[in-house]
Amino acid sequence: MSTALIIVDIQNDYFPNGKMALRNPDKAAANASKVLAWFRQNNKDTIFHVQHIASNPELGFFLPNTDGAEIHETVLPIEHENIIVKNFPNSFMKTKLERKLREKDVTKVVVVGMMTHMCIDATVRAAVDLGFETTLIEDACATRDLSYQNKMVPAEQVHYAFVSALDSMYANVISTEDFLNKSL
């Protein structure tokens, strides 16, 4: 039994001047980098970088062969780390992620990344549905403002609405600091 880190979509298009800039991506990426450093010291063979590549150009971001689709420098993979390319919000859908986790006897996953309301939510729910004990490090995630019927929902509210919905029923939701203090 082991624990894996799943880093979801920390890619250039989500940062300032990207095609889908999020609110506070630098803070989330810095926290994800701390978690990544911990895993590199302790669980070297169970790090999975998930990279979204748009299969439909109408998405407008994460377009194939663009700088925006590249993994951000704060969490760049190194030689032995796995890169999983996905085309859907759910990191498990039509990818090799589940198979690779099972091959390494992973029973627990730690999830960080972007966007809280979309790919993080879909990935956490899928992980739990597949039987993985799941921890979400909420301050290592970022999202953006949303709107519905001319009502603006600020990114912070979007983030906490999704995180609170996942807490307990789906995942153990904690901060980077709490993860590092409990794991050390």
Side-chain angles (χ1 to χ4, degrees):
M1 288 201 267
S2 66
T3 302
L5 174 62
I6 302 173
I7 304 170
V8 181
D9 301 349
I10 300 183
Q11 294 168 244
N12 292 335
D13 269 342
Y14 281 150
F15 288 80
N17 302 314
K19 292 185 177 179
M20 181 59 76
L22 302 182
R23 182 72 50 91
N24 298 320
D26 295 307
K27 179 183 174 194
N31 285 331
S33 180
K34 291 175 188 175
V35 175
L36 175 58
W38 184 90
F39 269 86
R40 283 179 173 160
Q41 287 188 324
N42 297 283
N43 294 39
K44 291 180 173 45
D45 64 338
T46 57
I47 296 170
F48 294 84
H49 298 264
V50 178
Q51 181 181 25
H52 193 124
I53 301 296
S55 57
N56 182 346
E58 290 178 20
L59 184 63
F61 62 104
F62 293 162
L63 300 176
N65 305 311
T66 64
D67 181 61
E70 295 301 315
I71 294 173
H72 193 263
E73 65 187 0
T74 55
V75 293
L76 277 177
I78 56 177
E79 65 181 80
H80 62 275
E81 296 171 354
N82 301 279
I83 299 173
I84 303 291
V85 174
K86 70 177 179 71
N87 307 113
F88 300 95
N90 173 352
S91 297
F92 293 92
M93 181 176 256
K94 298 185 180 183
T95 71
K96 297 176 183 176
L97 181 57
E98 180 185 8
R99 182 174 56 83
K100 289 188 173 282
L101 291 170
R102 304 258 187 237
E103 286 171 359
K104 295 182 181 294
D105 294 322
V106 169
T107 58
K108 299 177 182 180
V109 296
V110 174
V111 179
V112 300
M114 301 175 182
M115 291 190 286
T116 310
H117 75 279
M118 186 62 66
C119 299
I120 297 303
D121 181 65
T123 297
V124 166
R125 290 175 187 272
V128 172
D129 290 346
L130 291 169
F132 295 101
E133 185 179 321
T134 305
T135 296
L136 173 62
I137 302 184
E138 65 88 8
D139 61 353
C141 298
T143 195
R144 65 186 185 94
D145 295 344
L146 296 178
S147 64
Y148 177 72
Q149 294 187 350
N150 298 319
K151 292 180 178 137
M152 178 62 76
V153 183
E156 183 178 36
Q157 289 178 12
V158 172
H159 177 78
Y160 284 111
F162 276 83
V163 165
S164 63
L166 293 171
D167 190 30
S168 299
M169 294 298 289
Y170 270 91
N172 174 31
V173 178
I174 62 174
S175 69
T176 300
E177 182 178 352
D178 286 345
F179 173 79
L180 295 175
N181 287 337
K182 288 180 182 177
S183 298
L184 299 176

